[in-house]
Amino acid sequence: MNIKKVLAEVTKYCSDESEHKDPDDCQKWRDTTLMKQCKNEQGEIVKCGFLFSETGLSDTWTGLILMVLSLLMLCLCLAGLVKTLQSILLGPVAGALKKHINSDLPYPFKWLTGYVFMAIGVVFTFLLQSSSVFTSTLTPLVGLGVISIDRMYPLTLGSNIGTTTTAMLAALASSSDARTTTIQIAVCHLLFNIFGIILFYPIPFMRKIPIAGAKMLGNTTAKYRWFAAVYLLIVFLFLPTLLLGLSLLSSVVFYIFLGLVLLIFLSVVSLNLLQKYQKHRLPLKFQTWNFLPEFLRSLKPYDRLITSCCARCTCCKCGAKPVEDVSVSYGHK
């Protein structure tokens, strides 16, 4: 089976039937399968012996089942990785790693420490050809306190640069007629990550923004276990869907929505700064956030709701810890 031919059929532009000699050309891809097919000694196409060869499932259902199995295996492997690291990195081993990984270069090269670890992240991600594997391996070490979050930051940035080498290698291996376009896309991917690093790393003040955000999210997740799932759904599913829908609805509505979000964000930041540095100049009502309803200034109402729903299930433990002040150990700087 020629995969390129199948993809060409799938992506063929079929909105104008007059462009095709045969009107049925637009529907041919529906009868095409991506399942592996083999030929017997007589040259006839027969089913190959793979996992779902005798089930009669379509490409869609087979792909969905394999995707679910892949996600389950990924979660199990990550859980096993965390347990293994927890059992290995105990006692003197953890102390030695903390001492060497979290230490800075000697003076006068101390300022180069972050860039050295960034280069290490690039090299290891290039060797692994996967930034997910690299960051997933180091993330449990941060939770165990072996690597500080300040040291993890440049390693992650370097991993973002290293992962662009995969696209660059794929672009260089493409056919000659499409090589120019593919290299342009790969370079765009590389420059996007480089400019992001230039924005958030060389200036020491800018480094505090993502690190402080990571600590805040970590502490919130430690206190409310359900927050991680909700955060992922909102940031990676709800918000992109909402913005896409608004952009398709009307550009005016889209810009009005963005303007309101920006106005609320600036108002919250300004009031927080005033409460922190110029609290005495504010009216008594605005010196704290208690003037807002509880559901607008705290996660406790949502936690009570989720906890009450989960209380009916004996095997569900998604509620918050009863401890008020919960913090996560991120290692020593």
Side-chain angles (χ1 to χ4, degrees):
M1 179 182 61
N2 191 336
I3 297 296
K4 291 184 178 181
K5 183 178 180 181
V6 174
L7 295 177
E9 289 287 336
V10 173
T11 57
K12 188 181 296 182
Y13 181 74
C14 298
S15 61
D16 188 359
E17 296 286 343
S18 63
E19 293 183 2
H20 302 276
K21 295 181 180 179
D22 186 358
D24 295 332
D25 284 346
C26 295
Q27 305 299 327
K28 286 184 179 180
W29 66 272
R30 298 182 182 272
D31 302 324
T32 307
T33 178
L34 295 176
M35 296 292 189
K36 184 179 180 181
Q37 296 179 343
C38 302
K39 292 184 179 180
N40 56 18
E41 297 179 355
Q42 289 76 27
E44 300 174 347
I45 297 178
V46 296
K47 292 183 178 180
C48 298
F50 57 93
L51 184 61
F52 297 97
S53 59
E54 302 298 332
T55 59
L57 295 174
S58 64
D59 292 14
T60 302
W61 283 107
T62 303
L64 289 174
I65 293 173
L66 291 176
M67 182 183 68
V68 172
L69 291 176
S70 301
L71 291 175
L72 290 175
M73 292 179 64
L74 177 62
C75 294
L76 290 175
C77 290
L78 290 176
L81 176 64
V82 173
K83 295 296 182 182
T84 303
L85 290 174
Q86 286 178 341
S87 61
I88 293 176
L89 299 175
L90 294 175
V93 178
L97 285 175
K98 286 182 182 180
K99 179 180 179 181
H100 292 89
I101 294 180
N102 297 318
S103 60
D104 295 329
L105 293 176
Y107 182 84
F109 304 105
K110 183 178 179 180
W111 63 277
L112 286 174
T113 304
Y115 297 98
V116 171
F117 279 92
M118 198 182 300
I120 292 174
V122 173
V123 173
F124 275 90
T125 305
F126 174 75
L127 295 177
L128 295 172
Q129 286 296 296
S130 175
S131 60
S132 300
V133 173
F134 181 73
T135 54
S136 299
T137 304
L138 294 180
T139 300
L141 299 181
V142 179
L144 294 173
V146 176
I147 301 178
S148 66
I149 192 171
D150 299 270
R151 184 65 71 236
M152 180 67 181
Y153 182 45
L155 288 171
T156 305
L157 295 179
S159 179
N160 288 336
I161 297 296
T163 193
T164 61
T165 59
T166 304
M168 190 64 70
L169 292 175
L172 294 175
S174 60
S175 58
S176 58
D177 54 340
R179 188 170 299 162
T180 302
T181 304
T182 54
I183 290 178
Q184 289 175 351
I185 299 299
V187 172
C188 288
H189 185 203
L190 174 63
L191 293 179
F192 178 81
N193 289 331
I194 288 178
F195 281 111
I197 292 175
I198 293 174
L199 178 62
F200 284 103
Y201 193 79
I203 304 175
F205 172 78
M206 297 298 294
R207 301 177 193 176
K208 298 179 181 180
I209 297 177
I211 292 176
K215 291 181 178 180
M216 181 189 68
L217 293 175
N219 288 326
T220 305
T221 303
K223 189 174 182 180
Y224 304 105
R225 296 301 179 89
W226 50 266
F227 179 78
V230 174
Y231 173 80
L232 292 176
L233 289 175
I234 291 177
V235 173
F236 295 103
L237 181 62
F238 176 74
L239 284 181
T241 304
L242 176 63
L243 293 177
L244 177 62
L246 290 176
S247 64
L248 294 176
L249 181 64
S250 171
S251 58
V252 176
V253 176
F254 178 74
Y255 288 122
I256 292 175
F257 175 79
L258 288 184
L260 290 175
V261 171
L262 182 61
L263 179 62
I264 294 173
F265 174 77
L266 293 177
S267 301
V268 171
V269 172
S270 300
L271 187 55
N272 275 328
L273 292 175
L274 289 173
Q275 289 175 350
K276 184 176 181 180
Y277 298 106
Q278 299 291 332
K279 188 174 182 178
H280 61 283
R281 297 182 180 275
L282 291 173
L284 184 62
K285 182 178 181 180
F286 295 104
Q287 291 183 2
T288 65
W289 288 100
N290 292 333
F291 66 92
L292 291 176
E294 189 181 17
F295 69 92
L296 290 178
R297 55 182 169 84
S298 175
L299 294 176
K300 291 181 179 180
Y302 308 102
D303 182 65
R304 289 195 293 265
L305 176 63
I306 295 175
T307 303
S308 63
C309 294
C310 294
R312 300 180 181 180
C313 180
T314 58
C315 62
C316 186
K317 298 180 181 180
C318 58
K321 291 186 176 181
V323 182
E324 288 295 329
D325 295 325
V326 181
S327 60
V328 179
S329 174
Y330 297 99
H332 302 286
K333 186 173 178 180

